[in-house]
Amino acid sequence: MSKPEKFIEDGIRLDGRKIDELRPIKFEVGILNRADGSCYLEMGGNKVVAAVYGPREVHPRHMQKSTTAIVRYKYNMASFSVEDRKRPGPDRRSTEVSKVSRQALEPVIFVEKYPRSVIDIFVEVLQADAGTRAAGINAASVALADAGIPMKCLVSACAVGKVDDTLVLDLNKDEDNYGQADVPVAVTPGGNITLLQMDGHLTSDEFKTGLEMAKKGCADIYKLQKAALMAKYSDDTEGGSNE
Ligand code: ADP
């Protein structure tokens, strides 16, 4: 799509949302039988799957830490996830997204409980529509809980950005492509920020307001994450089975 003349008309965005409204979100917990924990998430046009394995033995062994578990996070975009076929395999962007996403989740995991082991998190983006790192973190957080990994809390993520000189929550693809700023944020329910990046420009006042908008968005996502886990485990009398 070429750059629209206007992104916001009478307070409503081109996809029908208000400026502080998230895209529709749907979580599904425990969709993969072979993973210890898993989650499928649709967040607007994004479709992602997160799979968690572990705690398990570290290979290669020289990577193990004697006092804590290590956390590995692998973000991958499928070739068919974007309009033009994406060249398969890792690239600079996926390496960066994997690193910041791991750092967004690591602080809430009780890694000291599992010395010499590894917790592996895999995120596959099946369909991308801006905000895939946030979608990946949301799904991975739920998948970690589904795997029974002891955590201080969940982590929730969304982006805030600027289009038409206006702050908007949870950018879609066109807003991300042609917008003036994109700020992905991840927070704990207590408001601790575990991921904060910024592409583009915001004034310091815009940044403060935008951060509050993102935190509110994350609080709403947190409710959905919790509801998805409750929906699975309140019916699951065996507790923790992925069958
Ligand atoms: P995020 O997905 O977290 O917003 P970026 O801001 O880097 O990360 O990317 C924004 C969007 O651009 C992605 O969600 C995706 O829709 C698109 N995109 C990213 N990489 C590619 C690529 N290699 N080819 C086509 N589109 C891409």
Side-chain angles (χ1 to χ4, degrees), residues 46 75 77 82 86 93 128-134 173 176 182:
N46 296 308
Y75 164 101
M77 250 179 158
V82 288
K86 183 200 163 280
R93 180 179 168 277
D129 191 50
T132 56
R133 75 193 65 203
K173 185 78 181 79
D176 183 278
D182 174 20

Side-chain angles (χ1 to χ4, degrees), residues 15-231:
D15 59 9
R17 283 184 292 157
K18 299 190 200 113
I19 56 171
D20 59 352
E21 192 176 335
L22 292 166
R23 291 174 285 183
I25 293 177
K26 195 181 94 183
F27 285 97
E28 215 175 308
V29 186
I31 46 136
L32 303 174
N33 287 346
R34 287 193 236 302
D36 294 315
S38 58
C39 178
Y40 169 71
L41 168 62
E42 290 180 6
M43 191 169 172
N46 296 308
K47 296 184 179 182
V48 305
V49 175
V52 168
Y53 294 82
R56 62 182 179 182
E57 213 177 308
V58 185
H59 291 289
R61 295 203 44 182
H62 67 82
M63 284 180 73
Q64 75 180 23
K65 286 193 181 161
S66 58
T67 54
T68 68
I70 61 166
V71 178
R72 292 190 293 217
Y73 191 112
K74 189 160 182 289
Y75 164 101
N76 183 53
M77 250 179 158
S79 309
F80 51 80
S81 66
V82 288
E83 228 163 273
D84 302 318
R85 177 180 178 275
K86 183 200 163 280
R87 196 162 174 263
D91 50 28
R92 281 173 62 126
R93 180 179 168 277
S94 66
T95 305
E96 175 224 317
V97 175
S98 298
K99 179 174 185 277
V100 296
S101 303
R102 171 177 59 72
Q103 289 172 334
L105 290 166
E106 215 168 12
V108 304
I109 302 172
F110 285 106
V111 285
E112 60 283 2
K113 278 189 183 286
Y114 302 102
R116 280 182 250 282
S117 53
V118 59
I119 296 163
D120 276 312
I121 307 168
F122 297 92
V123 167
E124 294 289 324
V125 179
L126 306 178
Q127 187 172 290
D129 191 50
T132 56
R133 75 193 65 203
I137 291 166
N138 290 328
S141 175
V142 170
L144 281 164
D146 184 43
I149 308 281
M151 291 153 81
K152 293 172 192 142
C153 54
L154 293 170
V155 173
S156 313
C158 66
V160 67
K162 186 162 95 165
V163 293
D164 291 352
D165 294 322
T166 308
L167 291 170
V168 291
L169 186 64
D170 190 21
L171 302 169
N172 64 31
K173 185 78 181 79
D174 293 325
E175 293 170 337
D176 183 278
N177 271 6
Y178 303 113
Q180 298 153 286
D182 174 20
V183 183
V185 178
V187 293
T188 66
N192 289 321
I193 295 168
T194 62
L195 168 92
L196 180 58
Q197 296 184 281
M198 180 150 103
D199 210 2
H201 298 282
L202 294 178
T203 65
S204 65
D205 279 349
E206 282 172 340
F207 177 76
K208 277 183 207 145
T209 312
L211 194 55
E212 287 315 307
M213 273 171 81
K215 280 185 169 180
K216 190 169 170 306
C218 289
D220 289 339
I221 293 168
Y222 172 63
K223 285 184 206 149
L224 299 172
Q225 290 172 305
K226 219 165 54 168
L229 286 162
M230 292 290 281

Side-chain angles (χ1 to χ4, degrees), residues 7-19 21:
F7 283 95
I8 305 169
E9 195 121 39
D10 298 328
I12 301 296
R13 292 146 77 175
L14 293 178
D15 59 9
R17 283 184 292 157
K18 299 190 200 113
I19 56 171
E21 192 176 335

